[in-house]
């Protein structure tokens, strides 16, 4: 709305500026490319678990999908039978927000999550989709032969040292190999 003097009222101008900055930040996101060992070290928890519920919520102007996970196995972190994970993006009251690199989790599906809990107490996936591995349980998760995989991330990734854009590669390994890698990386970091 423009008044006779050609100036926008302050509330309208503020709303326009907030919407423009939010839209700009959503489309221009880049992520630091993380290797498996980096995710292991950055995580406060690494869990294998099944998504049991999802619900949208807001924090400020951002919509998050709050995901409940029933923990099947812990590879790192404190013991707890469940964890609640906040994923940027979702749909609430007819409004949908999406973020590049943010994973789409499915209720009933099993994953391995690399998680980080900040001072605020909010738990998020390390590196967004980078820190989420799909579990193909048909191959025997209990025995460790289950295949874990993640497609190449298509969101903008940058090298953490040079800051230059880099391409991602898909990640595939067995649950046993991940268990061994977590143990080796954490053991080496304690020395």
């Amino acid at each position: 709305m423009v008044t006779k003097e050609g100036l926008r009222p302050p509330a309208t101008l503020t709303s326009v500026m907030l919407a423009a900055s939010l839209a700009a930040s959503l489309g221009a996101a880049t992520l630091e490319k993380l290797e498996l060992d980096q995710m292991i070290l950055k995580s406060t928890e690494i869990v294998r678990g099944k998504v049991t519920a999802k619900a949208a919520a807001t924090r400020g102007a951002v919509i998050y999908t709050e995901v409940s996970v029933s923990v099947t196995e812990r590879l790192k972190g404190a013991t707890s039978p469940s964890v609640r994970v906040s994923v940027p993006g979702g749909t609430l009251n007819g409004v949908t927000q999406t973020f590049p690199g943010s994973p789409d989790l499915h209720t009933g599906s099993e994953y391995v999550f690399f998680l980080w809990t900040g001072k605020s107490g909010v738990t998020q996936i390390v590196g967004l989709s980078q820190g989420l591995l799909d579990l193909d349980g048909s191959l025997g998760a209990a025995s460790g032969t289950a295949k874990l995989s993640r497609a190449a991330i298509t969101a903008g990734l940058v090298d953490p040292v040079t800051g230059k854009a880099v391409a991602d590669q898909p990640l595939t390994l067995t649950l046993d190999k991940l268990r061994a890698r977590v143990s080796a990386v954490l053991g080496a970091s304690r020395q």
Side-chain angles (χ1 to χ4, degrees):
M1 176 171 121
V2 178
T3 64
K4 288 183 182 181
E5 294 79 29
L7 301 174
R8 293 183 185 274
T12 304
L13 181 59
T14 303
S15 298
V16 168
M17 289 173 54
L18 176 62
S21 68
L22 182 59
S25 69
L26 294 179
T30 56
L31 299 170
E32 178 182 306
K33 182 175 180 350
L34 299 171
E35 300 299 331
L36 182 60
D37 290 1
Q38 291 172 302
M39 290 191 301
I40 291 168
L41 291 171
K42 288 179 182 278
S43 299
T44 53
E45 319 177 60
I46 302 171
V47 301
R48 174 171 60 102
K50 185 178 284 191
V51 174
T52 57
K54 300 187 321 182
T58 58
R59 282 200 295 282
V62 178
I63 297 173
Y64 286 83
T65 300
E66 301 294 334
V67 180
S68 297
V69 178
S70 175
V71 175
T72 310
E73 176 182 4
R74 278 195 184 271
L75 289 90
K76 180 181 180 183
T79 60
S80 174
S82 64
V83 65
R84 189 167 181 95
V85 180
S86 291
V87 178
T91 301
L92 183 65
N93 299 327
V95 176
T96 298
Q97 288 181 346
T98 59
F99 293 85
S102 201
D104 183 22
L105 301 166
H106 302 282
T107 303
S109 293
E110 194 170 6
Y111 304 93
V112 170
F113 298 83
F114 292 79
L115 301 172
W116 177 79
T117 303
K119 291 179 184 178
S120 67
V122 176
T123 301
Q124 299 184 56
I125 301 171
V126 172
L128 296 176
S129 291
Q130 294 178 87
L132 183 73
L133 302 176
D134 290 312
L135 176 72
D136 181 354
S138 66
L139 299 175
S143 70
T145 59
K147 181 176 132 183
L148 302 172
S149 62
R150 173 185 58 75
I153 305 299
T154 57
L157 293 176
V158 295
D159 181 277
V161 176
T162 66
K164 295 186 183 210
V166 293
D168 191 35
Q169 299 296 317
L171 176 63
T172 303
L173 71 163
T174 66
L175 187 53
D176 269 349
K177 287 188 179 182
L178 177 62
R179 289 174 182 140
R181 191 72 207 144
V182 169
S183 180
V185 170
L186 295 179
S189 72
R190 291 184 192 120
Q191 295 178 11

